Amino acid sequence: MGLIRILSEKVASQIAAGEVVERPASVVRELMDNSIDAGATRILIKIENGGRNLIRVADNGAGMDRDDLLLCAERHATSKINELSDLFSVRTLGFRGEAVPSIAAISRMVITSRTPDQLAGFRLKLQGGKIKEIEETGAPVGTTVEVKDLFFNTPARKKFLRSAPTETDHIVDTLSRIALPFTALSFRLDDRDKTLLSLPSVDSDVSRLSALFGHEVAGLMIKMEREIQGLRLSGYLSPPEWDRARGDHLFVYVNRRSVRERLLTHAVIEGYGSRLMKGRYPYAVIFIEIDPALVDVNVHPTKQEVRFHQNRLVHEAVKTVVEETLRQKAAALFQVPAPASDSMGEKFGRIGEPIGGYTVYPADTTIAREPEPQVPLMIKEIPVVLGQLKETYILCETKEGLLLVDQHAAHERRVFEKLKKSYDSATLECQPFLIPPTVEFSPSESRTILKKMGELSQLGITLEHFGGGTFVVRSVPNILVDVQWESFLREVLPLLEEQGAVKGDQMVERLLALMACHGAIRAGQRLSKEEMISLVEQLDEVEVPTNCPHGRPVFKRVSFYEIEKMFRRVL
Ligand SMILES: Nc1ncnc2c1ncn2[C@@H]1O[C@H](COP(=O)(O)OP(=O)(O)OP(=O)(O)O)[C@@H](O)[C@H]1O
Ligand SMILES: [Mg+2]
């Protein structure tokens, strides 16, 4: 008896604030959201000491009159929804009437605001969520919210703050994320008097992409756009070779709200499929436009999670569009990206030298300085096989320079696609052994094999149990006739054991990739010129010539420009 007490208003509001405001960047996010919802076209943010001492967000939006100003810091005071059902048509970023009171509860806040039809504005001062003062003041149309001394009355939370530079990084990241879909709006972030980020209003997404990823990646990203199953999907994908060890550059937006949603991240990775090495992530931005009635945004206090009514459908749609976009791009495979320092070459010209001793390029040679990135070169007509390096790489000359092809990766990709085609069309050709080899397994391995023999036979691998741990290999796909059976099956085993967790199609792909790996030409294998030519030519016929089924690159280029730079023929 007597153990349960009602928390004081102050404690309750601090606890609620804790859910919304995790760190200074959360304040920036909420205030920016409000400015965007207020129809602002220009948003200026100023911070001091990583946002601990000051966060100020000034906008030129609709502003608030005196009454609204007095209300906006009340819990559940919002102009954005009226009833629960409104939640299912909500197009604004905010809807709960929680952000301003939450931030106010744990800071000293000053809100200055003026609507267009008023001559003067009003200034409201709050401390720990309590109204201290409201006064009339001269102010531009719009709203400026100043948040000082964040967490001043919750010392325990203050302790969790990281160093000022780290908190500043989070703020930059938050701003870049939120700003991305709002290209018509301009944003600026100042740290005291230093401008950290300036995003003018633009027609294209590229400058916003640069703020997130840097110029180089942003310039290479592949545009994606498609309507599918009532969803409008658009965005940007990095070429697979620009992969990362972490998924922190994968941004997803639902109706322009930045969300962190595993379902969607997963769909993007699946769309990349075997183009990415296992455990690697692309840079990607995905915008999903969906009827608000089909998505629930009221899932998490920070509004960064959403639930779709039809999860699978959205997942499939994202995966499909990513996959198709990358496949179309692969068609333009051998185009050479213009070297970043191209203009330098142009400016300083080539170093002159006496004509005679060297191969002479035509007078106006454009070999290195002006590659034509738009023209996809068909491999067939271009590469001239020069030879083999370290019995591993095939060296070719193309119009643009040197092409190095990893013979194993290239062949593996080719074999994999062939296997997959024949598997899909049920025309996998198998060959029975005249003298069937036997393989030995441990008791636990044998149990797995016995369980999965049926599935293996669908892939053309027919085994027969001979008793104990001994199995006889009756027949295999043609491609695998010469492989080391024992080691191949040993690698298949762990895959089969995992099978519970992996879907049928994916498992088949993994098994086929493993077969391709074993069946393909190895590194360290000497190839005849004809074999090399045929291998390089075959690359022209595969769907994804850039990567082997495990995601390793198939080829790399060194442009004439780079070569000439090495030899200081150009500066
Ligand atoms: N910058 C602003 N310009 C104009 N009105 C604002 C601004 N910031 C807040 N408001 C008003 O104050 C109200 C309360 O803001 P608050 O952020 O607390 O709630 P919300 O945005 O409605 O919902 P949420 O808690 O999901 O953010 C808003 O509904 C809006 O009417
Ligand atoms: Mg809000």
Side-chain angles (χ1 to χ4, degrees), residues 34 38 59 72 77-80 94-101 143 303:
N34 282 348
D59 68 52
C72 78
T78 179
S79 55
K80 299 169 193 176
F95 50 80
R96 311 154 305 177
E98 288 273 356
V100 173
T143 305
K303 298 176 284 187

Side-chain angles (χ1 to χ4, degrees), residues 20 30-31 33-39 57 59 61-64 68 71-74 76-81 92-103 111 113 142-145 257 301 303:
V20 176
E30 293 295 346
L31 297 182
D33 279 2
N34 282 348
S35 297
I36 293 171
D37 284 347
V57 177
D59 68 52
M64 285 176 273
D68 280 352
L71 261 182
C72 78
E74 294 287 329
H76 315 305
T78 179
S79 55
K80 299 169 193 176
I81 62 168
T92 47
L93 297 170
F95 50 80
R96 311 154 305 177
E98 288 273 356
V100 173
S102 296
I103 301 164
I111 313 178
S113 197
T143 305
T144 300
V145 181
R257 179 194 306 281
K303 298 176 284 187

Side-chain angles (χ1 to χ4, degrees), residues 30-201:
E30 293 295 346
L31 297 182
M32 281 180 70
D33 279 2
N34 282 348
S35 297
I36 293 171
D37 284 347
T41 55
R42 187 171 37 84
I43 300 172
L44 303 176
I45 300 146
K46 181 169 180 168
I47 57 169
E48 280 176 19
N49 194 21
R52 292 154 180 255
N53 298 10
L54 174 75
I55 298 168
R56 185 169 69 208
V57 177
D59 68 52
N60 62 349
M64 285 176 273
D65 62 19
R66 189 174 188 277
D67 291 347
D68 280 352
L69 198 54
L70 282 166
L71 261 182
C72 78
E74 294 287 329
R75 183 130 278 139
H76 315 305
T78 179
S79 55
K80 299 169 193 176
I81 62 168
N82 263 324
E83 309 182 0
L84 190 64
S85 60
D86 293 343
L87 260 185
F88 300 104
S89 56
V90 69
R91 288 240 169 235
T92 47
L93 297 170
F95 50 80
R96 311 154 305 177
E98 288 273 356
V100 173
S102 296
I103 301 164
I106 48 174
S107 70
R108 294 181 231 275
M109 187 187 259
V110 181
I111 313 178
T112 311
S113 197
R114 191 187 130 204
T115 58
D117 52 1
Q118 281 178 315
L119 290 178
F122 287 89
R123 175 172 297 143
L124 175 76
K125 290 190 182 161
L126 299 127
Q127 184 168 323
K130 291 272 166 288
I131 293 182
K132 291 281 163 202
E133 193 184 334
I134 184 157
E135 57 183 8
E136 199 173 295
T137 176
V141 172
T143 305
T144 300
V145 181
E146 261 186 2
V147 177
K148 289 184 186 156
D149 304 329
L150 189 63
F151 299 129
F152 82 99
N153 53 355
T154 51
R157 291 201 63 94
K158 202 169 182 176
K159 277 203 200 112
F160 281 103
L161 285 180
R162 309 286 295 276
S163 68
T166 305
E167 295 299 343
T168 305
D169 283 349
H170 280 286
I171 291 172
V172 173
D173 181 60
T174 299
L175 194 162
S176 319
R177 253 177 205 270
I178 296 178
L180 191 63
F182 297 97
T183 44
L185 278 51
S186 72
F187 300 86
R188 200 179 81 205
L189 171 66
D190 291 342
D191 185 355
R192 285 182 183 274
D193 299 327
K194 203 171 79 196
T195 298
L196 295 184
L197 203 60
S198 172
L199 302 172
S201 112

Side-chain angles (χ1 to χ4, degrees), residues 277-400:
M277 230 187 291
K278 206 164 168 248
R280 305 287 295 181
Y281 298 85
Y283 297 76
V285 176
I286 312 284
F287 300 117
I288 303 176
E289 289 291 323
I290 182 173
D291 178 350
L294 299 177
V295 56
D296 187 356
V297 284
N298 186 29
V299 180
H300 191 263
T302 62
K303 298 176 284 187
Q304 290 192 91
E305 284 177 27
V306 292
R307 294 274 178 283
F308 296 101
H309 293 197
Q310 292 170 295
N311 259 343
R312 280 243 51 91
L313 189 139
V314 177
H315 183 278
E316 266 314 293
V318 171
K319 178 183 155 193
T320 308
V321 175
V322 168
E323 194 178 11
E324 284 176 4
T325 306
L326 293 170
R327 191 176 319 133
Q328 281 159 12
K329 182 65 185 177
L333 155 70
F334 268 62
Q335 63 190 38
V336 179
S341 45
D342 233 2
S343 56
M344 295 284 282
E346 202 73 72
K347 212 154 139 196
F348 295 107
R350 306 160 67 86
I351 291 186
E353 63 178 19
I355 295 174
Y358 303 97
T359 318
V360 181
Y361 295 114
D364 65 339
T365 182
T366 53
I367 293 170
R369 278 175 291 155
E370 278 177 36
E372 290 153 36
Q374 268 68 32
V375 190
L377 305 173
M378 298 312 293
I379 314 179
K380 249 186 205 140
E381 27 180 290
I382 302 301
V384 179
V385 171
L386 304 173
Q388 201 181 12
L389 183 69
K390 219 179 159 220
E391 299 186 338
T392 301
Y393 308 100
I394 303 171
L395 301 184
C396 313
E397 181 179 344
T398 70
K399 222 169 96 186
E400 272 74 24

